[in-house]
Amino acid sequence: MIQIRYLQEADRPFWFRLDRHLPEEAFARKVRDREGYVLLENGQPAGLLRWNFFWDQIPFCSLLFVEEPLRGRGCGGALMGRWESDMAARGLRVLMTSTQADESAQRFYRRLGYRDAGCLLFPVRSLRQPAELFLMKELAPPGERQTDEGERGAIPWQSSTISL
């Protein structure tokens, strides 16, 4: 049975086994501010989602990871769905995530309705990596059914201004 819950202090060993980017001192804040989720399979941690605010305004999924045996079974989509629901409940309507341009995760995010929003190149030697592809999704307003881009028309980040 799959369950998703907010990150807890007791998740620390599991979390840092999978997340090698989060500074140790930031973990307690992620727990306190509910900026992380843990996916459990039969009560055992098997996936995680970490997020923060991009430009202090836009919810940004900064890490999504599901253990190999559960991949392709809807667990990543379930984690994203829980996060999207929580953001919508807060009245937030635009979400972001990113992935390296050479990773297959971009197809996963596009299937969930995320659209390309640009990329970042890293010319600094110490940060050298493939381009980071940014993706965004507009959530439906309360009471409206979530639809795909074709039904809703142009997405706001295709223009020169973004309405949050």
Side-chain angles (χ1 to χ4, degrees):
M1 180 167 109
I2 299 294
Q3 295 176 303
I4 297 171
R5 62 164 168 74
Y6 290 113
L7 175 64
Q8 300 171 359
E9 180 60 40
D11 297 318
R12 185 181 289 267
F14 167 74
W15 193 274
F16 283 107
R17 185 170 58 81
L18 301 179
D19 185 351
R20 293 183 174 91
H21 300 287
L22 184 71
E24 276 279 338
E25 62 275 8
F27 185 81
R29 184 180 52 77
K30 292 291 182 190
V31 171
R32 182 193 70 218
D33 295 346
R34 294 185 159 189
E35 291 183 353
Y37 300 90
V38 172
L39 179 130
L40 304 165
E41 181 191 38
N42 299 320
Q44 296 301 308
L48 57 85
L49 183 150
R50 172 170 46 89
W51 70 277
N52 60 306
F53 284 101
F54 185 85
W55 289 339
D56 299 318
Q57 300 178 56
I58 303 169
F60 179 83
C61 174
S62 52
L63 179 65
L64 175 67
F65 187 90
V66 174
E67 297 271 23
E68 188 67 43
L70 293 178
R71 292 184 189 166
R73 295 180 37 200
C75 294
L79 277 162
M80 291 296 289
R82 168 68 186 271
W83 177 61
E84 290 175 6
S85 274
D86 285 356
M87 296 305 100
R90 292 180 179 204
L92 301 164
R93 298 286 167 254
V94 176
L95 306 177
M96 289 181 69
T97 191
S98 72
T99 185
Q100 287 183 193
D102 65 343
E103 294 176 333
S104 62
Q106 60 188 283
R107 290 187 294 279
F108 164 77
Y109 292 120
R110 287 184 189 119
R111 280 194 311 270
L112 295 178
Y114 288 79
R115 300 291 175 244
D116 293 14
C119 72
L120 181 62
L121 303 175
F122 292 91
V124 178
R125 189 169 306 161
S126 63
L127 297 175
R128 189 132 316 156
Q129 69 173 50
E132 188 75 10
L133 177 63
F134 288 84
L135 300 107
M136 297 179 83
K137 181 176 183 175
E138 181 183 18
L139 300 178
E144 237 184 73
R145 182 177 66 87
Q146 184 73 41
T147 59
D148 68 20
E149 177 190 46
E151 293 177 65
R152 294 199 65 175
I155 49 180
W157 49 89
Q158 288 177 325
S159 67
S160 60
T161 60
I162 297 175
S163 176
L164 299 174

